[in-house]
């Protein structure tokens, strides 16, 4: 069995030696890539994902969630040539391919976009705790101050094993199960205890002297990395009451008071429709490539068919692509019937601006709806 410390370092370390080794291992694992096709109950968008295996937990579940219907999958072997050309999934409307950076084609064909595989959101902090509040919008500041008093909110730093057990078993695990179900991803209990609790800080948010939420963080030099979170028994009520925002603000202020220089809010997939991106954007974080092995990974998004469901999906899910210079740009799709989702905001340090893409132009030349038949399912080739 791999020790939890080794496994954590392998998956999260920014050490250049570990990153290089991880990249070499990824290249070996994907020498014979596989592709997974995902289709919905009834009519609807057919998705496919191939390449780097991390996409089966970081990319495809999010795309399936945004499609909004129960999913059915099959997985099969393929080749890189077939993946990059799109031939690996002829029945898919949208094919996403996770690739190492050095496998990205020099020139992208039409109907394809190059995205970061993941992005990291981080907040620089200085010695003044009040600077944290100034990062928030006026409305968010007022809500935080008002609820801090009315709910009698305070921040607790816990040190005992009982505190860890309460957080992991009664907060984190129920929250992950309630919010993400089978697609939940996290650290196992022993890894969380050894690699986070023993090498970091466990915070609880107390309301009227009762623990209602917690966050388990790792200390890496003068950076505090927020890794795991949860609310008491996974309650939905906490998500609508400002509990998480209050906890983030108090932790950022704690970091400022204790001489830290940065709080890593962790990362997410490169889509503005990702709820965690929109929530953490309230703290005006910097958007950067991850410092670990994900820095060498890219996501090729290939649109293969022009259908109403494809247009609906692209318009509903603006994304973060690479800008013309260093940094990212927000990309919004639209047409005459689908206005750009500018309500999903992009403004953060590291995102240079936004671009509007007309779907009529982007999808020009692609085949439209067609009948797809299969002995397995009518939506597969």
């Amino acid at each position: 069995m791999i020790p939890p410390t080794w496994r954590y370092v392998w998956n999260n370390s920014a050490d250049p030696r570990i990153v290089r080794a991880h990249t070499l291992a990824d290249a070996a694992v994907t020498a014979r890539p596989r592709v997974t096709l995902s289709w919905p109950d009834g009519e609807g968008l057919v998705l496919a994902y191939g390449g780097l295996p991390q996409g089966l937990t970081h990319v495809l579940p999010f795309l399936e969630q945004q499609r909004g219907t129960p999913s059915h999958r099959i997985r099969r072997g393929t080749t890189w040539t077939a993946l990059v050309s799109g031939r690996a999934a002829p029945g898919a409307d949208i094919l996403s391919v996770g690739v190492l950076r050095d496998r990205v084609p020099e020139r992208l064909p039409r109907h394809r976009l190059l995205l970061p595989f993941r992005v990291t959101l981080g907040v620089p902090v200085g010695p003044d705790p009040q600077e944290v509040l100034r990062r928030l919008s006026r409305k968010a500041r007022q809500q935080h101050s008002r609820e801090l008093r009315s709910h009698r909110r305070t921040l607790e730093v816990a040190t005992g094993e009982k505190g860890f057990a309460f957080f992991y078993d009664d907060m984190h695990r129920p929250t992950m199960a309630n919010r993400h179900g089978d697609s939940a991803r996290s650290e196992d209990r022993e890894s969380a205890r050894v690699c986070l609790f023993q090498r970091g800080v466990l915070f609880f948010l107390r309301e009227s002297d009762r623990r209602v939420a917690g966050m388990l963080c790792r200390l890496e030099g003068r950076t505090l990395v927020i890794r795991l979170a949860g609310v008491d028994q996974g309650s939905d009520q906490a998500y609508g009451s400002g509990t998480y925002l209050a906890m983030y603000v108090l932790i950022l202020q704690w970091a400022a008071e204790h001489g830290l220089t940065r709080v890593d809010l962790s990362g997410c997939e490169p889509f503005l429709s990702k709820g965690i991106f929109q929530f953490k954007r309230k703290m005006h974080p910097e958007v950067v490539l991850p410092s670990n092995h994900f820095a060498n990974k890219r996501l090729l998004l290939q649109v293969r068919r022009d259908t109403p469901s494809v247009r609906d999906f692209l318009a509903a899910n603006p994304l973060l692509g690479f800008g013309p210079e260093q940094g990212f740009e927000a990309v919004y799709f639209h047409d005459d019937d689908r206005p750009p989702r500018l309500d999903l905001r992009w403004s953060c340090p590291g995102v240079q601006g936004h671009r509007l893409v007309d779907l009529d132009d982007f999808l020009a030349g692609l085949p439209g709806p067609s009948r797809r038949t299969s002995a397995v399912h009518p939506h597969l080739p």
Side-chain angles (χ1 to χ4, degrees):
M1 179 179 293
I2 300 175
T5 302
W6 293 6
R7 185 170 58 249
Y8 183 89
V9 169
W10 179 252
N11 289 327
N12 298 285
S13 176
D15 185 314
R17 296 167 298 179
I18 302 296
V19 173
R20 282 196 299 270
H22 207 302
T23 300
L24 291 173
D26 285 329
V29 167
T30 56
R32 296 182 177 180
R34 300 179 68 81
V35 62
T36 300
L37 287 97
S38 168
W39 68 95
D41 284 342
E43 296 295 323
L45 190 72
V46 178
L47 299 167
Y49 174 82
L52 294 166
Q54 293 89 349
L56 294 175
T57 53
H58 288 275
V59 177
L60 187 57
F62 171 73
L63 299 179
E64 290 173 328
Q65 179 187 47
Q66 296 306 100
R67 182 176 58 191
T69 59
S71 301
H72 309 273
R73 294 182 180 183
I74 61 169
R75 195 176 185 213
R76 59 197 184 203
T78 184
T79 66
W80 280 108
T81 300
L83 272 176
V84 174
S85 69
R87 296 195 308 271
D93 297 309
I94 297 177
L95 168 63
S96 302
V97 181
V99 298
L100 292 174
R101 181 173 53 185
D102 60 6
R103 282 189 177 270
V104 174
E106 289 187 12
R107 296 187 64 181
L108 293 180
R110 290 188 63 188
H111 317 123
R112 287 164 173 79
L113 293 165
L114 179 64
L115 316 178
F117 198 90
R118 284 178 67 77
V119 294
T120 291
L121 310 176
V123 177
V125 294
D128 181 8
Q130 294 307 308
E131 181 63 29
V132 172
L133 292 176
R134 290 191 283 271
R135 302 185 73 89
L136 304 177
S137 68
R138 180 181 177 184
K139 181 178 180 180
R141 285 199 306 269
Q142 291 174 339
Q143 177 184 352
H144 172 73
S145 298
R146 182 172 59 250
E147 293 184 352
L148 201 65
R149 296 188 300 270
S150 63
H151 293 286
R152 295 172 55 196
R153 286 174 172 157
T154 57
L155 189 69
E156 173 194 357
V157 176
T159 57
E161 291 284 343
K162 289 184 178 179
F164 169 76
F166 177 71
F167 166 76
Y168 194 86
D169 298 331
D170 296 326
M171 288 186 170
H172 178 65
R173 289 184 61 187
T175 299
M176 291 299 100
N178 185 34
R179 302 296 294 181
H180 304 289
D182 293 338
S183 64
R185 56 181 187 263
S186 182
E187 296 290 335
D188 64 50
R189 197 179 195 280
E190 185 62 10
S191 178
R193 189 182 70 82
V194 173
C195 302
L196 301 179
F197 179 65
Q198 293 182 357
R199 303 191 180 200
V201 188
L202 172 60
F203 298 99
F204 286 113
L205 181 70
R206 303 184 76 102
E207 292 185 352
S208 300
D209 211 33
R210 182 176 71 88
R211 291 171 171 170
V212 296
M215 287 186 180
L216 183 55
C217 309
R218 181 178 167 97
L219 280 168
E220 297 181 355
R222 297 180 69 187
T223 296
L224 184 72
V225 183
I226 297 177
R227 286 293 182 197
L228 305 182
V231 295
D232 191 18
Q233 304 304 318
S235 167
D236 286 327
Q237 182 180 358
Y239 283 86
S241 66
T243 299
Y244 264 179
L245 180 60
M247 190 158 202
Y248 274 109
V249 171
L250 292 174
I251 288 176
L252 286 167
Q253 291 182 320
W254 181 94
E257 292 167 354
H258 286 77
L260 302 181
T261 58
R262 185 176 180 83
V263 177
D264 185 335
L265 307 182
S266 75
C268 65
E269 292 73 31
F271 293 90
L272 302 186
S273 53
K274 183 77 177 178
I276 199 169
F277 179 89
Q278 289 299 317
F279 173 76
K280 292 179 179 179
R281 200 192 64 81
K282 295 178 180 180
M283 287 158 278
H284 209 55
E286 295 178 337
V287 182
V288 298
L289 285 173
S291 58
N292 59 16
H293 63 94
F294 283 115
N296 290 328
K297 294 175 169 62
R298 300 291 184 265
L299 186 66
L300 281 171
L301 192 70
Q302 307 181 15
V303 182
R304 308 196 67 256
R305 192 168 281 105
D306 182 359
T307 69
S309 61
V310 166
R311 288 176 174 249
D312 289 344
F313 187 87
L314 292 175
N317 294 282
L319 49 85
L320 284 173
F322 289 98
E325 301 176 2
Q326 291 185 352
F328 305 109
E329 68 174 356
V331 179
Y332 294 86
F333 293 97
H334 68 97
D335 61 19
D336 290 343
D337 300 317
R338 301 166 180 86
R341 286 290 310 274
L342 297 176
D343 56 304
L344 296 173
R345 298 183 179 181
W346 59 267
S347 56
C348 284
V351 184
Q352 300 167 330
H354 73 284
R355 176 163 59 99
L356 301 182
V357 176
D358 191 308
L359 285 165
D360 292 337
D361 295 334
F362 181 70
L363 301 177
L366 286 177
S370 62
R371 182 169 180 170
R372 289 166 282 187
T373 60
S374 168
V376 178
H377 188 276
H379 287 283
L380 296 177

